[in-house]
């Protein structure tokens, strides 16, 4: 039975969350944007508008919104994986630019060079989506190091940025993960390592590939706090994220967060998703983070059902506009094939 196999989820008392009406709507709107954007990506992919591998984020929205919305937009750094569309949106990259990138157009955030797995935006401090498992962890660690170096070695008091590094449970079996945890603690780097444990590394169940499946316990082993959090509860994620950001910005070092979450679709849109049993899926589908937040906001009189419906409609219009923009944008000029290879050519 699912209940026998499932890891016990950490409990979070919603009354311990402190969010205002405005904060609640920001979190809700960001999650809805992620969900509707990804749904539209699936439609466009099956209509032949997108090519290659497209990995969707449906179900995991509470992790992206909960972490990134606790940070300073346009100042703090975000480092992603190949499942990066929603991280880009949460970081403030316009839906038009993300969609255009998926269409391979020159108006995309990576000028049509990156596609689904390589979203990048210097303006929004999005360090990139990285296709190789665990590849972004040392990049994010480097970003955190430069913040520390600028502040302490160069005397730049404005250098108090925090870096959030997202990766999956499968990445935690790679050497980069351990090496970077070690360095981050040694140098007290301002970084938050966020494990999006959705139980599956492509088709390999996390419990079958990891000697100790409770990843958060590896934080204390390297001298940093490690926390597990219900990744389907944005209030729990956001509350913990604010604490980790405050700690990092104060110079108190890194934090490891393991968010227990679930992807509602297959590994990619090319995955028939036949390995996960239906009972497991239904268990997690019933814990939809968007519905959970909507119910909370209404129950606490932080928003009305009508307000949330208006947000849904507004975001659907944003997503539809992004598709129109992407379709009408120009293809990259072949004469500029080698442009943007080097940093100075921006």
């Amino acid at each position: 039975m699912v209940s026998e196999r499932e890891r016990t989820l950490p409990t979070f008392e919603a009354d311990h969350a402190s969010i205002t009406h405005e904060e609640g709507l920001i979190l809700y709107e960001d999650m809805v944007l992620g969900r509707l954007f990804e749904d539209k990506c699936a439609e466009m992919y099956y209509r032949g508008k997108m090519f290659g591998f497209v990995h969707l984020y449906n179900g995991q929205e509470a992790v992206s919104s909960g972490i990134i919305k606790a940070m300073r937009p346009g100042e703090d750094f975000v480092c992603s994986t190949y499942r990066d569309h929603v991280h880009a949106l949460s970081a403030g990259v316009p839906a038009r630019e993300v969609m255009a990138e998926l269409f391979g157009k020159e108006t995309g955030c990576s000028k049509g060079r990156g596609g689904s797995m390589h979203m990048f935006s210097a303006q929004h401090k999005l360090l990139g989506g990285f296709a190789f498992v665990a590849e972004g962890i040392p990049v994010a660690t480097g970003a955190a190091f430069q913040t520390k170096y600028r502040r302490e070695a160069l005397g730049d008091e404005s250098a108090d940025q925090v870096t959030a590094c997202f990766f999956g449970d499968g990445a935690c079996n790679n050497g980069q993960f351990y090496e970077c945890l070690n360095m981050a603690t040694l140098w007290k780097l301002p970084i938050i390592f966020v494990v999006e444990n959705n139980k599956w590394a492509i088709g390999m169940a996390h419990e079958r590939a990891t000697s100790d499946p409770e990843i958060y316990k590896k934080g204390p082993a390297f001298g940093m706090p490690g926390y597990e959090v219900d990744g389907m509860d944005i209030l729990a994620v956001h509350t913990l994220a604010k604490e980790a950001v405050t700690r990092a910005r104060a110079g108190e070092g890194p934090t490891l967060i393991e968010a227990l979450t679930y992807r509602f679709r297959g590994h990619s849109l090319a995955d028939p998703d036949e390995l996960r049993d239906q009972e497991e899926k239904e268990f997690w589908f019933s814990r939809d983070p968007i519905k959970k937040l909507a119910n909370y906001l209404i129950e606490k009189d932080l928003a009305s059902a009508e307000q949330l419906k208006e947000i849904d409609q507004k975001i659907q219009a944003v997503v539809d506009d992004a598709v129109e923009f992407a379709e009408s944008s120009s293809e990259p000029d072949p004469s500029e094939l080698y442009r943007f290879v080097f940093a100075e050519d921006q």
Side-chain angles (χ1 to χ4, degrees):
M1 298 292 291
V2 169
S3 58
E4 295 175 354
R5 289 202 313 269
E6 291 294 344
R7 179 166 153 188
T8 302
L9 291 165
T11 57
F12 177 78
E13 296 296 334
D15 290 340
H16 293 168
S18 177
I19 63 167
T20 63
H21 162 78
E22 182 180 4
E23 289 172 327
L25 294 187
I26 288 173
L27 294 175
Y28 179 79
E29 183 171 314
D30 196 59
M31 284 203 293
V32 170
L33 174 59
R35 177 69 58 84
L36 296 183
F37 188 94
E38 296 294 68
D39 285 345
K40 182 61 71 171
C41 285
E43 177 189 336
M44 293 297 105
Y45 179 88
Y46 292 127
R47 287 175 56 186
K49 300 290 185 178
M50 298 176 190
F51 306 94
F53 288 104
V54 177
H55 306 80
L56 300 187
Y57 200 77
N58 298 57
Q60 301 182 200
E61 296 89 356
V63 185
S64 179
S65 298
I67 297 288
I68 297 174
K69 292 307 178 184
M71 304 170 73
R72 293 179 187 163
E75 295 184 29
D76 291 330
F77 296 96
V78 174
C79 192
S80 186
T81 66
Y82 48 69
R83 204 178 301 279
D84 56 354
H85 315 160
V86 177
H87 294 149
L89 293 169
S90 292
V93 183
R96 281 185 163 195
E97 293 185 19
V98 179
M99 189 67 75
E101 187 59 39
L102 285 159
F103 276 56
K105 300 299 184 70
E106 65 177 4
T107 53
C109 58
S110 299
K111 312 298 184 185
R113 270 79 167 172
S116 174
M117 296 189 285
H118 300 286
M119 298 287 168
F120 170 82
S121 177
Q123 176 186 351
H124 299 93
K125 298 297 187 291
L126 178 67
L127 299 174
F130 293 89
F132 286 99
V133 174
E135 182 185 16
I137 301 178
V139 174
T141 304
F145 176 80
Q146 64 84 31
T147 296
K148 174 94 170 180
Y149 185 84
R150 280 170 45 220
R151 186 174 186 85
E152 297 189 359
L154 303 181
D156 183 356
E157 294 185 1
S158 68
D160 66 345
Q161 294 78 24
V162 174
T163 298
C165 179
F166 293 89
F167 48 94
D169 47 280
C172 298
N173 295 323
N174 287 33
Q176 299 100 309
F177 172 67
Y178 300 99
E179 293 176 41
C180 290
L181 290 187
N182 182 57
M183 288 187 283
T185 298
L186 278 174
W187 297 330
K188 296 186 74 173
L189 300 184
I191 186 170
I192 305 170
F193 296 103
V194 184
V195 186
E196 299 187 284
N197 185 354
N198 61 22
K199 294 176 57 67
W200 292 86
I202 307 181
M204 173 58 71
H206 173 61
E207 292 81 2
R208 293 184 59 197
T210 306
S211 57
D212 184 354
E214 294 179 301
I215 302 168
Y216 73 98
K217 292 181 177 178
K218 294 170 185 176
F222 283 89
M224 73 178 71
Y227 301 98
E228 63 173 344
V229 66
D230 182 353
M232 309 299 277
D233 184 342
I234 192 166
L235 297 180
V237 176
H238 193 59
T239 300
L240 179 57
K242 287 190 288 187
E243 295 173 0
V245 168
T246 298
R247 182 172 180 275
R249 212 179 301 282
E252 298 175 10
T255 300
L256 175 65
I257 296 175
E258 180 185 4
L260 302 176
T261 186
Y262 199 74
R263 52 175 165 80
F264 288 174
R265 293 180 178 268
H267 172 67
S268 75
L269 287 176
D271 174 15
D273 196 20
E274 298 171 343
L275 296 173
R276 305 184 299 174
D277 66 60
Q278 192 61 33
E279 188 179 7
E280 175 184 293
K281 294 178 188 178
E282 292 299 332
F283 172 83
W284 289 92
F285 290 166
S286 67
R287 307 187 65 254
D288 190 315
I290 297 178
K291 293 179 181 178
K292 187 179 182 72
L293 178 62
N295 291 337
Y296 175 85
L297 294 176
I298 294 171
E299 179 184 325
K300 297 297 182 180
D301 292 323
L302 292 171
S304 66
E306 291 72 22
Q307 283 179 303
L308 300 184
K309 185 176 181 180
E310 288 175 4
I311 290 175
D312 295 346
Q313 294 171 341
K314 181 182 76 171
I315 295 303
Q316 188 61 65
V318 168
V319 172
D320 292 341
D321 170 75
V323 171
E324 292 179 14
F325 176 78
E327 289 188 311
S328 62
S329 294
S330 300
E331 302 279 349
D333 191 328
S335 68
E336 293 190 333
L337 177 63
Y338 298 107
R339 194 179 174 198
F340 305 116
V341 173
F342 298 103
E344 59 268 20
D345 187 21
Q346 299 299 314

